Amino acid sequence: MKSGALKMSWARQYMPVLGEIRKRFEADKPLSGTKIAMALHVEAKTAVLVETLAAGGAEVYITGCNPLSTQDDVAEALNDVSGVHCYAKRACSVEDYYEAIDKVLDVNPTVTIDDGMDLIHRLHTERRDLLDSIVGGCEETTTGIHRLRSMAAEGKLEFPVLAVNDTPMKRHFDNIHGTGESALSAVMITTNSLIGGKWFVVAGYGYCGRGLAKMAHGLGAKVIVTEIDPRRALEAHMDGYHVMTMDEAAKIGDIFVTTTGNTSIIGEKQFKNLKNGAILSNAGHFNVEIDIEWLESHKEGFEQRDGIDTYIINGKRINVLAEGRLVNLAVPKGMGHPIEVMDLSFGLQALCSEYIKNEGSALSGGVYDVPNEIDVAVASLKLKSLNVSIDALTEEQKLYMNSWDIGT
Ligand SMILES: NC(=O)c1ccc[n+]([C@@H]2O[C@H](COP(=O)([O-])OP(=O)(O)OC[C@H]3O[C@@H](n4cnc5c(N)ncnc54)[C@H](O)[C@@H]3O)[C@@H](O)[C@H]2O)c1
Ligand SMILES: N[C@@H](CCSC[C@H]1O[C@@H](n2cnc3c(=O)[nH]cnc32)[C@H](O)[C@@H]1O)C(=O)O
């Protein structure tokens, strides 16, 4: 077997939720007649989702959702799966990235699956001619959903999209555990730097930030959190972390990871105050949380090695991982979230694709919650695979929970 196929086979064995869904899809072919356009991180777990959708009868056209996250051997293996066409390439230019997105759209898809909304953006701008054939879409990540909600608020989103990210089964496992483990391990494997005893700065205490803070604390780091939301800042404080502004953190921090989904979190003002040898990385979105443009135009010296760019600023070394792109997937050895976590996220994506294919044409343009039954179904499939049983409400308990006149 070639390396891409071997990686898929490795991932498949730890993806029981997709495995169960695949059995039903193979038997019932619920996606026949569906052309799915996808822009996701092209690596082994995503490939298992793709083959599951193809087993359900879909034709799948896929490209990447980040210029640095594709694993070329997996992209090649995907092109060997019947009904699948993959156009992703690692380290592509931004022009090549959009050219591949266009190739995926050229087939006149009926369903979209996005991670960051780049497909949907293209469809609503340069490729509006294709909008009529789209029944609906699914969005994987927080920032994609922010962008979609902004579009919907302006009345510009022309088809229904399921907010896959916003389910408990996504946020509580993918964003918290997934980002926590994978971003930290990517920093460690790229830098070979010790975490214990370091000042570890987490920008943003949302789902991703809190997972990362917990993991870094677990390895003995002194965790600093920066926030703009007073409630989340207070939560971080009571969880035992040091809360301060990024201006203050810049002077103290050894390792920084941004997880805000916002722009310009670490920029000129902070760069000038960083300690010599500071390590900067981003686990949020795109490449704008760290101001790479400023670093590029003000460096006094530059060194490059696998996944690390070292800028000399004011005579000090500032080390940036993965060009400021998603550290857990974009560093050379980044493997992304753990397999078991993506099994849950992609179990949701498989069931949501089926739902939107069946129900999309009855829905108007906008962002929709994933039906609760789908979220519960994914949790139940995972528990079943773990051989874990839980209690069920008795008739007496159901009556009690629904009554308002049983008091003390
Ligand atoms: N690395 C990954 O694999 C991965 C996984 C899931 C999500 N994401 C991405 O990570 C980002 C965060 O996702 P989330 O689910 O944690 O979102 P979230 O909304 O729960 O958290 C973001 C937090 O950042 C804070 N924030 C915003 N601007 C800030 C600023 N200027 N300074 C400090 N804090 C600020 C917000 O108040 C919020 O608490 C998104 O872009 C999402 O798409 C990445
Ligand atoms: N496409 C943007 C958006 C952030 S990706 C964040 C999403 O990546 C997803 N993700 C994280 N690890 C993996 C992985 O290993 N395989 C596929 N998707 C992943 C995860 O579900 C999360 O919501 C960018 O690259 O900057």
Side-chain angles (χ1 to χ4, degrees), residues 182-202:
S182 68
L184 195 56
S185 65
V187 169
M188 290 162 72
I189 204 163
T190 308
T191 62
N192 199 16
S193 185
L194 182 74
I195 303 295
K198 292 281 171 61
W199 286 105
F200 192 99
V201 182
V202 178

Side-chain angles (χ1 to χ4, degrees), residues 39-46 65-67 69 97 115-118 139-144 165 170 174-175 179 182 282-287 325-326 328-329 335-338 342 345-346:
L40 291 186
H41 301 290
V42 175
E43 53 73 56
K45 287 95 70 185
T46 305
C65 65
N66 182 308
S69 66
Y97 176 83
D115 179 334
M117 210 202 85
D118 284 345
E139 170 55 55
E140 171 77 1
T141 201
T142 314
T143 297
N165 177 79
K170 164 71 166 59
D174 181 310
N175 300 29
T179 310
S182 68
N282 166 44
H285 196 78
F286 298 143
N287 58 348
R325 291 198 182 271
L326 225 58
N328 50 329
L329 284 143
M335 286 184 291
H337 286 0
M342 292 318 296
S345 304
F346 287 162

